[in-house]
Amino acid sequence: MTDVAGKTAFITGGASGLGFATARALAAKGAAVILADIDAAGAEAAAATLRGEGAHALGLQLDVTSEESWAEAGTTAREFGAVRILFSNAGVGGGSGPFEQYDTDVWRWNYAVNAHAHLYACRTFLGEMKASGEPSHLVITSSMVAIVPPPISVAYISSKYATLGIAMALRGELAGTCVDISVLMPGMSATRIVETTRDLRPVEVETGKAAATSQAMQGVLAGGMSPDKIGARVVEAIEAGDYWIFTHPEWKAMAELVTQDMLSSFGPSADPGYKGDDIDGLIAANGGRMFGAKNIGERHGRRE
């Protein structure tokens, strides 16, 4: 559990949407906030808004796909304060259309923003957070579509699935350190992700059916949950030490169907003569904390 008051938080995608909303919620609890965004003017305007509300806030430009940009941002951030809350949140949509027709540049860009950037974020700040010995927190934004994938954007869905995998692996890796971790799993949120994707995508704009799908999604998201409510929930999770942050309970029934479909597909061993994997040995070899589940060690007769 991390008391956010007096901590410095670094937020990617901080100029708008979930990033800005979470920065505002953190600032309201007494945190200093660094709003990083590829839109430099937007980041500074957002920080100015928070300063006008009495917050200690800094806006800076960051291209989350560039290690050089991360190095510069890290230097600037350290001059502002020692980062103890890291919200790796920046994201873009992946476009739409049949998988076999995906533009490879759009595919690589989508993964660079939605998945690879979490590595750069952690390379910049996580080591210092762990070494500090101070209660710290890492939040990574995935999506409900990582669990319940609609048939519209393989790039977006798979990159958010990769993000969930990163967060699940880090849950075990960070156990026993001073750094807690949460994974944010929002449903429909009233953000500008469709417009931002349209502005930033590395190739020409979508046309035809893909453009129509993009426009339709923009309309759907406009009626989504307020980012302010999601930002407040993120701060609650940081302070409570919650790992999963589910903000849209209406997705639970679909998640149950997906999970049940998977579990019901388990059958007999492919090799009836095989003795079976040594699950207890695997857990023991990994310090008794394994497989991304809470208190897994207790279920096997020991505590984490």
Side-chain angles (χ1 to χ4, degrees), residues 226-265:
S226 165
D228 289 339
K229 300 297 185 181
I230 298 173
R233 176 67 187 96
V234 170
V235 176
E236 289 177 1
I238 292 171
E239 294 197 314
D242 296 335
Y243 173 71
W244 293 104
I245 310 177
F246 290 114
T247 54
H248 292 64
E250 58 273 18
W251 287 73
K252 181 179 180 182
M254 290 188 291
E256 289 175 336
L257 288 173
V258 171
T259 303
Q260 184 56 43
D261 180 57
M262 177 179 65
L263 294 177
S264 66
S265 297

Side-chain angles (χ1 to χ4, degrees), residues 50-263:
L50 295 185
R51 289 195 294 268
E53 297 172 358
H56 188 36
L58 172 70
L60 57 81
Q61 184 174 30
L62 171 65
D63 176 356
V64 297
T65 71
S66 165
E67 292 185 78
E68 292 77 12
S69 186
W70 271 105
E72 293 175 7
T75 298
T76 302
R78 292 180 191 97
E79 294 171 353
F80 182 81
V83 172
R84 296 295 176 259
I85 298 170
L86 174 59
F87 185 21
S88 191
N89 164 74
V92 292
S96 58
F99 183 47
E100 71 274 15
Q101 296 177 16
Y102 254 92
D103 184 288
T104 54
D105 288 334
V106 172
W107 178 270
R108 294 188 186 98
W109 170 68
N110 198 262
Y111 267 79
V113 176
N114 290 352
H116 302 164
H118 301 306
L119 172 61
Y120 301 152
C122 291
R123 282 175 62 87
T124 304
F125 295 115
L126 184 56
E128 296 169 11
M129 291 163 64
K130 291 163 69 175
S132 73
E134 302 172 16
S136 303
H137 207 101
L138 168 64
V139 183
I140 295 178
T141 300
S142 180
S143 170
M144 279 308 305
V145 302
I147 299 175
V148 184
I152 57 170
S153 178
V154 177
Y156 183 75
I157 291 165
S158 61
S159 64
K160 288 299 185 177
Y161 192 88
T163 293
L164 177 57
I166 291 168
M168 293 185 75
L170 283 173
R171 186 183 192 184
E173 185 173 310
L174 292 174
T177 76
C178 64
V179 182
D180 281 340
I181 181 171
S182 300
V183 58
L184 174 60
M185 305 293 292
M188 298 295 103
S189 310
T191 70
R192 297 187 67 257
I193 188 171
V194 175
E195 298 95 310
T196 300
T197 300
R198 197 177 295 142
D199 292 341
L200 297 177
R201 53 187 281 125
V203 298
E204 68 276 0
V205 297
E206 294 177 305
T207 59
K209 184 178 179 181
T213 301
S214 175
Q215 195 66 38
M217 283 303 302
Q218 184 175 340
V220 169
L221 291 176
M225 186 180 290
S226 165
D228 289 339
K229 300 297 185 181
I230 298 173
R233 176 67 187 96
V234 170
V235 176
E236 289 177 1
I238 292 171
E239 294 197 314
D242 296 335
Y243 173 71
W244 293 104
I245 310 177
F246 290 114
T247 54
H248 292 64
E250 58 273 18
W251 287 73
K252 181 179 180 182
M254 290 188 291
E256 289 175 336
L257 288 173
V258 171
T259 303
Q260 184 56 43
D261 180 57
M262 177 179 65
L263 294 177

